[in-house]
Amino acid sequence: MNSGDTAFIIISSAMVLFMTPGLALFYGGMVRRKNVLNTIMSSFFVAGLAAIMWVLIGYTMSFGTDIGGIIGNFQWFGLNGVTADPNPDYAATIPHTLFATYQMMFAIITPALITGALVERMKFSALFVFTALWSIVVYYPMAHMMWGVGGFMREMGAIDFAGGQVVHVSAGISALVAAILLGKRKGYGMTSYHPHNIPLVFIGTGILWFGWFGFNGGSALAANGLAVHAILTTNISAATAMLSWMLVEKIKRGKPTMLGAATGAVAGLATITQAAGFVPVWAAIIIGGIASPICFFAIGYVKNKFKFDDALDAFGCHGVGGIIGGISTGIFAQRSINSYARWDGLIFGDTRLFTAQVISTLITIVFAAVGTFVIYKFISLFMNIRVDDREELEGLDIAEHSESAYPSFLGMD
Amino acid sequence: MNSGDTAFIIISSAMVLFMTPGLALFYGGMVRRKNVLNTIMSSFFVAGLAAIMWVLIGYTMSFGTDIGGIIGNFQWFGLNGVTADPNPDYAATIPHTLFATYQMMFAIITPALITGALVERMKFSALFVFTALWSIVVYYPMAHMMWGVGGFMREMGAIDFAGGQVVHVSAGISALVAAILLGKRKGYGMTSYHPHNIPLVFIGTGILWFGWFGFNGGSALAANGLAVHAILTTNISAATAMLSWMLVEKIKRGKPTMLGAATGAVAGLATITQAAGFVPVWAAIIIGGIASPICFFAIGYVKNKFKFDDALDAFGCHGVGGIIGGISTGIFAQRSINSYARWDGLIFGDTRLFTAQVISTLITIVFAAVGTFVIYKFISLFMNIRVDDREELEGLDIAEHSESAYPSFLGMD
Amino acid sequence: MNSGDTAFIIISSAMVLFMTPGLALFYGGMVRRKNVLNTIMSSFFVAGLAAIMWVLIGYTMSFGTDIGGIIGNFQWFGLNGVTADPNPDYAATIPHTLFATYQMMFAIITPALITGALVERMKFSALFVFTALWSIVVYYPMAHMMWGVGGFMREMGAIDFAGGQVVHVSAGISALVAAILLGKRKGYGMTSYHPHNIPLVFIGTGILWFGWFGFNGGSALAANGLAVHAILTTNISAATAMLSWMLVEKIKRGKPTMLGAATGAVAGLATITQAAGFVPVWAAIIIGGIASPICFFAIGYVKNKFKFDDALDAFGCHGVGGIIGGISTGIFAQRSINSYARWDGLIFGDTRLFTAQVISTLITIVFAAVGTFVIYKFISLFMNIRVDDREELEGLDIAEHSESAYPSFLGMD
Amino acid sequence: MKEIQAIIRPVVLEELKEELSALNIRGLTIGQVMGCGSQKGWTEFYRGSEVYMNVLPKVRVSIVVPDARVDETINAIIKVARTGEVGDGKIFITNVERVVRIRTGEEGDDAL
Amino acid sequence: MKEIQAIIRPVVLEELKEELSALNIRGLTIGQVMGCGSQKGWTEFYRGSEVYMNVLPKVRVSIVVPDARVDETINAIIKVARTGEVGDGKIFITNVERVVRIRTGEEGDDAL
Amino acid sequence: MKEIQAIIRPVVLEELKEELSALNIRGLTIGQVMGCGSQKGWTEFYRGSEVYMNVLPKVRVSIVVPDARVDETINAIIKVARTGEVGDGKIFITNVERVVRIRTGEEGDDAL
Ligand SMILES: Nc1ncnc2c1ncn2[C@@H]1O[C@H](COP(=O)(O)OP(=O)(O)O)[C@@H](O)[C@H]1O
Ligand SMILES: Nc1ncnc2c1ncn2[C@@H]1O[C@H](COP(=O)(O)OP(=O)(O)O)[C@@H](O)[C@H]1O
Ligand SMILES: Nc1ncnc2c1ncn2[C@@H]1O[C@H](COP(=O)(O)OP(=O)(O)O)[C@@H](O)[C@H]1O
């Protein structure tokens, strides 16, 4: 066991945990005032539910002994048998408990990401059930298939450094499917839903960016050159994506916006996630540079064209970003940077990794979409998933939680 | 000296420091708009006052050579003699200066916690004096008795991993006593004091949770398996407590609330603090699970019954949580997890630790209550402790600081 | 390579990065509601622009092989040749890539600091160009001269632990010059510009203080006793400066303010930056203690006297604080604390360091002032630097970004 | 001229603007208010304590129109704002003696 | 009917609501305003600079009542809002020509 | 007495206060409102989507003055608020039947 690595991953765990409140703020600032608390809560409660589930069944289903390349067995139920001794299968220099804790944070933020597409109209009780089922049906298998020993995507050579596919693609696609099933918010297309508090969005952005150092850097699972490489590419991608979003806005609208810069940065972070520990620095510039124009197109055009109501662009930002990242990894990965990759990327003349990446991305898309569809339909047999019209008008803070975000803000009491 | 451990505790120090602004926001969002800045300031100024006092006299009074089991001597006055060499009495692998710095952060946040019970009516000058005296009369002895070599609670075998007793019980009880002495806010029971800005409360919650990894994890004083164990139980307890608070609300009120989820998480964090590095993972689930119902009961019933005005529930959340944590440690601690404990907990068939925990908790309660009472009465000989009625109506931001929180928020200038 | 040191500097990098959003909030809360987003954006976009520039040319120009004591050559263009192997010239125990990444964060926050003087009236496009040019003309040479091997200030024995001079003096002086050239805001002296959201300022303050542990502590470039010493002096200086600001306000105005306490803390942090790893603990108390009265005087009197419109006191706080810190280092530095210093400070009887500090401070002032003047005049040949009167009245959020900070805050939609 | 002051639910505002603009009534001024009346408030919960919100957020729309257009304006408001449930709000009509358009100094109906 | 517009200190609002409801006057509309008058403002300090706040936060309560109830309403307001110190506020009474209850279309005193 | 209600651009507020105080008119009440009229709004952009803001922030200043001072007040407002561009705002004058100063109970012009 190495104390430097352990220190690094403990702090990284805290940083990734911090991203969930960060995301809650990022999302919370973007909704209308009457839905703020419901939106924040929708991300935040996952830090409760998914944590407990992870300890009980999630970790073992994700990283336990492989069953059919799809899922882990129950050997570590309730973290039994997970001790302070390192598990060399996953991280040879840190306590096994730490690896499990660090991974817990990913299991928390992933379902929280989905909620961005569902806010302002979904019942909280339905979201609660959805999150529990989605973790079991989609997340644990995804984590196992990609990262678990014996997982079949891992076996076929697909690589995902910090969860571009396990986290972002799976959440983004699920968000899209659920948003379509849930239907549009009242007045979609007629009324404009502008954010109620952009500084709040910005606070969230700052926390997310900060936390992403733990997310991508920590995924090296050691405080070594690879971790440094990952934070460097991560920061570069965020920077380029911020600038390229601003550029797109400047060209299309005449002026760059603050919300745009923040959105671009997050898109750049989501996009590099899969690639961070595999691609050279110059490739990170390219990856960040293309992330924003493509996401901008997905958010500003595709969404309007197909008229699905991905309220806060969980798909447009994380889903699309994740897919770009997965493909880019297949293009730019270099074994000399990280020999966990079995082959070099397309640009270095080898097609095998690229193929594996494309296939695994497609599988992820199909898997997440089908899983989400099934869960959604299943839940709808038992309960209303959507609030009724009146509650939607009134706002979900009152309707679902009987509280309001700024009850005495005006100072009239 | 170990660089991994040093890295870990430096960052942990920063994280615990960060909790004080986090607490200020947590509290600040919960008061009415006219008292926001005074509330924030009441936590924040402690980061100035308690830090200086710590360096001058606090550290040596807490950790200096024992005098009578109660207090340390002045050998390290002004940190003289505290060098980069480790002090094996407290932390063998990190600089002694780092141990002193890390402990400083605890000496800062503890008095800040108390202010939650006193806001919206206490004079700032009185709070300033109170904080200085309380640090000397209550905090340094408490820290010494529990953690200092020769401290008598430590000698009798009581254990407190990260300050459940030194920080939370002592602050919570002091808050209760001071709140009773200070009296209720005007209109208590008639007017409703609802928060002015729940997203602000939430920002504070996020920072507190993040920082608590440094608070409880760092208390292992090394980046080792024990630190990992502590962050794992910490996170689990927070998660369970959040869910159990939501459950209580669902049962009693029909709907879970955002503020409730945040309160539950903080209660879970406060409760596990004493136990984090001693109890098994499954016990953390239990501890978190019972924390919220009990705190809910204390806040929603006991407080209303006895009609003391613990404005932001410093007692109901930290005091009560701390006491639960102290007792729970006596029940669930396991020597195999951390041999600093001399005996196993009650559930493993040994009553000695349990007895020590109960006694030390009682002593802490009495000590903090008497200390606070004496200080309060002493101060009231020299100065008004409470603002006058008119200032209370006007709001303490204007009355005490001549500024307002959102002076041009309405954008009319 | 040492994993503890690496862990420490990776996290420190994240913390320093986090300071830029923190600064954006600190500044953003202080402007009027109509200029919030422009102000935030002015700090935040630098995290994009300066990061890319740093990777491409900034690092090599700052730390590449010396040319004439002034600037580095292009050997590491695009970080080519910067690998995971340590570069013993700068940091012998961490990857060279990490040193470059860590330094990147300083290159980001420095230009962001300047914007505090320019908000509420500068065109965003002009700021964009200004930031790019300023990085090249002022920052890279400054970093090289002070920290680069062969840099002439370094050669003459001047010392700057964490950027008091490279960051704070250079930014503060540039802010002053640019603010004078830019002219006052409309209605300066007649209207009062009060902040729109002080809790937002406070969130920024909390993040800045937290991040400063990475800023000053990380500048030891290893998790060792020196890093601990630096965070200890840093925290003490912040604490004393907070208290001394409150004291000044109490004396001059009768009441301490929240914004004052926050300003004092930041002034204390800025002031100690240059000295943190060189001066004894007791000196940090003095340095923090004098920082606030002097900055208060600069902000409350000098500014009003000379009627330049340093809107958010980038000069009054960082410039003045930085200068105090530079001189103080010459007075209080002690070789026994850090033998990077060639000589002891004045108070220990040696004048050489003091002389070097005074000279290097003067050079920095002249260099930054002239550089900024030239850049400003150059840009004004091609574009308007200031928005027109109408846009200034309307607010820069709408005028420059077509968005508003709290579009639906009132909940009327 | 008359000032028509309508206290309505915030959610109907958007529709009202459209309805009025269809009638070619373009000038209006909106304020955020809190109201109480026969409508019951709601109960909010803060940390286990019930807080009864007896004032509810409403929007106050003020429209100054020539006397001849009062009725159609009222009807337009009723059309969009009526849900039939308590809390739909009220319309108050007061007399306006003079109107001045600041930009031009015009007075009377021309100024509207 | 008359509209009684009272500009009062924010702190008396809660009490006023109770007082009026004791009189069985349940309908009212509240707005947040800033006012200036004979009352002096206060000085705030931002980073060592004095800022004189010449407008102070007030609450504007508007109550429309039948003519017969004007006096008792005024008295109720005075009762709770008077402290005797400058800044207690003003009451303005204007005539309301018509009142419509949106929910039912009722007009006149019935609509209140 | 008359109530002069001026809907103006927020930026002229400061100047208006000075102008009125030069005329020795010290009492006024200010509210934040949103308005629409002939002035076109602006387009804001949120994540690539255009949002047309058809209501613009305005300030509503209400000044109650004795009948004799109405004209000079109107002129003062026009003086500072007129830019000549669409959106300068409107002034509405209504009759106020009674004024009561809460502090003293004074009525009529004395109460202003
Ligand atoms: N007498 C009144 N004076 C002023 N405002 C009133 C009055 N009565 C009602 N209002 C306003 O109208 C709103 C709706 O009135 P309410 O009585 O709740 O419902 P309804 O009009 O459907 O009976 C209230 O919230 C209040 O703002
Ligand atoms: N002539 C006026 N027109 C409109 N509002 C007024 C007028 N005079 C006073 N007010 C309002 O009444 C409030 C209190 O008035 P003020 O003169 O300060 O105290 P008092 O009524 O006790 O003499 C002011 O803040 C303002 O909002
Ligand atoms: N008929 C009206 N009723 C109420 N408010 C109005 C009316 N007409 C205009 N206003 C208010 O006056 C403001 C300015 O009016 P507008 O027509 O845009 O410009 P202008 O007065 O220069 O022609 C509007 O934003 C609105 O708040």
Side-chain angles (χ1 to χ4, degrees), chain A residues 3 399 401-403 405 407 409 413, chain B residues 2 33 194-195 198 255-256 258:
Chain A
S3 69
H401 309 289
S402 285
E403 61 184 339
F409 192 87
D413 50 358
Chain B
N2 177 305
R33 184 178 154 141
H194 32 258
I198 297 187
K255 296 170 186 175
M258 166 72 241

Side-chain angles (χ1 to χ4, degrees), chain B residues 25-46:
Chain B
L25 295 167
F26 184 72
Y27 281 165
M30 264 188 284
V31 298
R32 283 166 296 171
R33 184 178 154 141
K34 60 187 174 186
N35 296 318
V36 187
L37 295 182
N38 176 262
T39 301
I40 290 179
M41 182 85 158
S42 297
S43 290
F44 184 55
F45 90 95
V46 186

Side-chain angles (χ1 to χ4, degrees), chain E residues 7 34-39 58 85-90 92, chain F residues 27-29 62-65 101-103 112:
Chain E
I7 315 291
M34 308 289 285
C36 64
S38 6
Q39 187 185 12
K58 298 277 171 191
E85 286 177 66
V86 179
D88 280 349
K90 303 262 193 308
F92 303 121
Chain F
L28 49 87
T29 301
S62 140
I63 314 157
V64 179
V65 292
R101 185 193 299 272
I102 293 174
R103 173 161 51 95
L112 291 178

Side-chain angles (χ1 to χ4, degrees), chain B residues 98-234:
Chain B
L98 181 52
F99 177 74
T101 304
Y102 180 63
Q103 286 294 338
M104 185 202 300
M105 306 314 172
F106 289 71
I108 290 171
I109 198 167
T110 311
L113 281 172
I114 301 175
T115 64
L118 312 176
V119 294
E120 304 206 306
R121 60 205 191 280
M122 187 160 176
K123 279 191 88 69
F124 183 70
S125 50
L127 182 66
F128 196 98
V129 177
F130 179 84
T131 300
L133 293 180
W134 190 88
S135 296
I136 296 171
V137 174
V138 179
Y139 188 77
Y140 304 155
M142 273 302 309
H144 184 79
M145 294 188 286
M146 185 57 95
W147 290 329
V149 170
F152 92 95
M153 292 198 212
R154 174 178 171 154
E155 293 299 316
M156 68 183 252
I159 53 179
D160 180 1
F161 191 70
Q165 215 159 106
V166 175
V167 173
H168 295 283
V169 178
S170 78
I173 295 296
S174 299
L176 175 64
V177 172
I180 293 171
L181 293 171
L182 193 54
K184 305 182 189 84
R185 286 168 290 175
K186 266 181 91 75
Y188 180 84
M190 285 171 27
T191 336
S192 46
Y193 310 104
H194 32 258
H196 87 292
N197 192 336
I198 297 187
L200 206 63
V201 177
F202 179 72
I203 295 171
T205 307
I207 293 174
L208 285 173
W209 193 329
F210 170 67
W212 230 294
F213 280 77
F215 199 96
N216 287 5
S219 287
L221 294 167
N224 56 18
L226 182 59
V228 174
H229 186 88
I231 63 161
L232 182 53
T233 53
T234 298

